[in-house]
Amino acid sequence: MNAKKATLIGLVAIFLWSLIVALIKDVSSHFGAVGGAALVYTLASIFLLCSVGWTSLKSFPKAYLIWGSILFVAYELCLSLSIGYSSNNRQAIEVGMVNYLWPTFTMVAAILFNQQKASFLIIPGFAISLLGIVWVLGGEQGFDLAGMLQNIQQNPLSYGLAFIGTLLWAAYCTLTARIAKGVNGITLFFMLVAIVLWIKYLLMGGGSFDFDWSSSLSLLFAAAAMGFGYAAWNVGILHGNVTLLAGASYFIPVFSALCSAILLSTPLTLSFWSGALMVCLGSILCWISTRAQR
C-alpha cells in the first residue's frame, strides 16, 4: 500500500472518531447506556475480526496482555458510559470534550514515566488545555469557575467518568509504548469490553431490546465508527504519513464537537468553541514541545 492511500485511510479514522460521541449518545437513547454500549462493542468486535483479524494470545507480552487489557477496557467503559449517562445532548458533547484532554495528559505521562524530553512549551500547553475545558464547562460566561462547578454537580458521574477515562487512556498509551513490542491487541480488547458490559447489563437486570430501523442504523453506524476507526488508524500509522496524521488528530475535539452539534441538533455557543480551540492548541503545544527535543 502506498503512503498517500494509507494516509488517506488514517484521515478517515479521524473522521470516524469525530462521530463517536454523537453516535454513542444516539444509541444510548434507544437501548440505554449499558445495553447500548454492549451492543456497540459487540458489533465493533465483529468488524475488527473481519478487518484487523485475531492476534494469537501467545504473541502477547505477558505484561501487555494483563495491563493493556485492564487499562483499555477501563478506558472504553469510562468513555461509553460517561456519554451514555449524560443527561442531554449538550452535556454529552461537553463530556466528550473532557475526554479529549487525553493527548495533553499522554504527553505529560510520557515525560514523567518514559523519560521523554520536552521544551518549556509543555507548561503553557498543559495550562491552555485545562483552561479550555474550564471555558467549555463554564457555559455562556466562558471562564467561570463557579459556573463550571455548578455544571459538573448536575451530573458528576458522567464528568467524573470522562476525566478518569482521560487519565486511563494516557496511562494505556504510555505503557503500550514500553511493553507492547509491536503487538496489536485491539480486537481482543474490544471483545473484553463487550464481555464486561454484558456482565454489567445482566447484573442490572437488563430487559429486552426493541429494534427498529432508526435504532438499528444508529447501532450499525456507531459500531462501524468504533471498529473501523481503529482499523483505519492502524493502517495509517503503519504505512502513511505519521506526522500529518498526528497533527490532524489534535483537531479531533473541534471535529467531534462540529459533528455532534450537527447530528444531535445541538447549537453550541461561542464560548464553547473558544474552549474547544484552546484544548486543541494546548495539545498541539505539548506535541511540539516533545518533538523539538527529539
Side-chain angles (χ1 to χ4, degrees), residues 112-189:
L112 295 177
F113 302 109
N114 283 358
Q115 289 77 53
Q116 171 68 59
K117 297 185 181 300
S119 71
F120 75 96
L121 288 176
I122 191 70
I123 297 175
F126 183 76
I128 291 173
S129 290
L130 293 182
L131 183 61
I133 290 299
V134 174
W135 223 275
V136 165
L137 301 183
E140 297 284 348
Q141 301 301 318
F143 185 79
D144 182 2
L145 290 176
M148 180 192 72
L149 293 175
Q150 184 178 7
N151 192 13
I152 293 174
Q153 287 172 357
Q154 293 177 3
N155 192 347
L157 178 59
S158 279
Y159 291 110
L161 285 173
F163 184 72
I164 293 172
T166 294
L167 300 179
L168 287 169
W169 190 248
Y172 172 82
C173 293
T174 304
L175 191 66
T176 297
R178 296 172 58 183
I179 65 176
K181 298 180 180 178
V183 175
N184 183 5
I186 190 66
T187 302
L188 169 65
F189 295 161

Side-chain angles (χ1 to χ4, degrees), residues 40-174:
V40 167
Y41 282 92
T42 299
L43 189 54
S45 297
I46 297 174
F47 289 155
L48 283 168
L49 276 171
C50 296
S51 56
V52 176
W54 175 257
T55 302
S56 172
L57 295 181
K58 294 181 179 179
S59 63
F60 279 79
K62 186 176 181 180
Y64 178 52
L65 180 61
I66 296 173
W67 289 108
S69 298
I70 292 173
L71 291 172
F72 188 95
V73 171
Y75 166 71
E76 294 294 339
L77 291 176
C78 287
L79 172 64
S80 58
L81 295 181
S82 65
I83 298 171
Y85 286 142
S86 59
S87 302
N88 51 57
N89 292 342
R90 165 67 189 238
Q91 197 172 86
I93 298 173
E94 291 180 353
V95 164
M97 193 60 60
V98 173
N99 171 71
Y100 289 124
L101 279 173
W102 69 260
T104 296
F105 281 102
T106 299
M107 293 298 176
V108 173
I111 295 168
L112 295 177
F113 302 109
N114 283 358
Q115 289 77 53
Q116 171 68 59
K117 297 185 181 300
S119 71
F120 75 96
L121 288 176
I122 191 70
I123 297 175
F126 183 76
I128 291 173
S129 290
L130 293 182
L131 183 61
I133 290 299
V134 174
W135 223 275
V136 165
L137 301 183
E140 297 284 348
Q141 301 301 318
F143 185 79
D144 182 2
L145 290 176
M148 180 192 72
L149 293 175
Q150 184 178 7
N151 192 13
I152 293 174
Q153 287 172 357
Q154 293 177 3
N155 192 347
L157 178 59
S158 279
Y159 291 110
L161 285 173
F163 184 72
I164 293 172
T166 294
L167 300 179
L168 287 169
W169 190 248
Y172 172 82
C173 293
T174 304

